[in-house]
């Protein structure tokens, strides 16, 4: 997505990427990478992603995060996706407008307390991005 001109990326492509990622979540790095790409695109492209599509992305993330055990690779993936989304004020705003911010933030602290270093780093990255974007 990063290499395509924003005008070439339509709502249908983003919707299909979300559907593909949602249908295969928990089965490796590919679905998480798809969500991360969409999250980055949402955060960086003003007016290019519809509000319903932004909300759908935020809901997918917020609903999946509680199913990932703190300190697991799945939690690292989901926190990294959130960090990508919150890397810009626009992405953080999309999370807040979707009313999923509180649901997502609830799962940051358990990962900070984890002994799993990648989880701690992903949670810290999310916090840094969100603070910088606020």
């Amino acid at each position: 997505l990063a290499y395509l001109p924003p005008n070439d990326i339509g709502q249908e492509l983003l919707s299909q990427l979300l559907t593909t990622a949602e249908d295969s979540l928990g089965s490796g790095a590919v679905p998480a990478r798809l969500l991360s790409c969409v999250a980055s695109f949402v955060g960086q492209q003003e007016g290019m992603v519809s509000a319903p599509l932004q909300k759908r992305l935020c809901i997918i993330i917020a609903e999946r995060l509680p199913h990932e055990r703190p300190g697991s690779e799945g939690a690292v993936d989901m926190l990294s996706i959130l960090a990508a989304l919150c890397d810009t004020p626009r992405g953080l705003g999309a999370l807040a407008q979707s009313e999923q911010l509180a649901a997502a933030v609830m799962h940051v602290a358990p990962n900070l307390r984890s002994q799993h270093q990648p989880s701690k780093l992903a949670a810290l990255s999310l916090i840094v991005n969100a603070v910088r974007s606020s």
Side-chain angles (χ1 to χ4, degrees), residues 35-91:
L35 286 176
S36 183
C37 287
V38 174
S40 293
F41 190 80
V42 165
Q44 295 174 6
Q45 301 300 325
E46 184 171 3
M48 299 298 291
V49 182
S50 68
L53 207 55
Q54 291 179 25
K55 185 173 184 172
R56 181 174 165 209
L57 170 67
C58 295
I59 289 171
I60 291 169
I61 296 168
E63 286 180 350
R64 183 63 191 183
L65 194 52
H67 298 288
E68 301 296 346
R69 185 178 42 79
S72 69
E73 290 303 317
V76 171
D77 287 343
M78 297 312 292
L79 290 169
S80 296
I81 294 165
L82 276 171
L85 182 62
C86 295
D87 193 38
T88 64
R90 189 175 300 110

Side-chain angles (χ1 to χ4, degrees), residues 87-115:
D87 193 38
T88 64
R90 189 175 300 110
L92 183 61
L95 189 60
Q97 289 173 353
S98 71
E99 300 177 353
Q100 300 302 315
L101 182 60
V105 169
M106 271 178 34
H107 301 283
V108 174
N111 283 285
L112 282 173
R113 289 191 295 267
S114 167
Q115 296 300 314

Side-chain angles (χ1 to χ4, degrees), residues 108-127:
V108 174
N111 283 285
L112 282 173
R113 289 191 295 267
S114 167
Q115 296 300 314
H116 189 242
Q117 289 301 315
S119 294
K120 285 183 181 183
L121 292 174
L124 287 171
S125 177
L126 168 58
I127 292 167

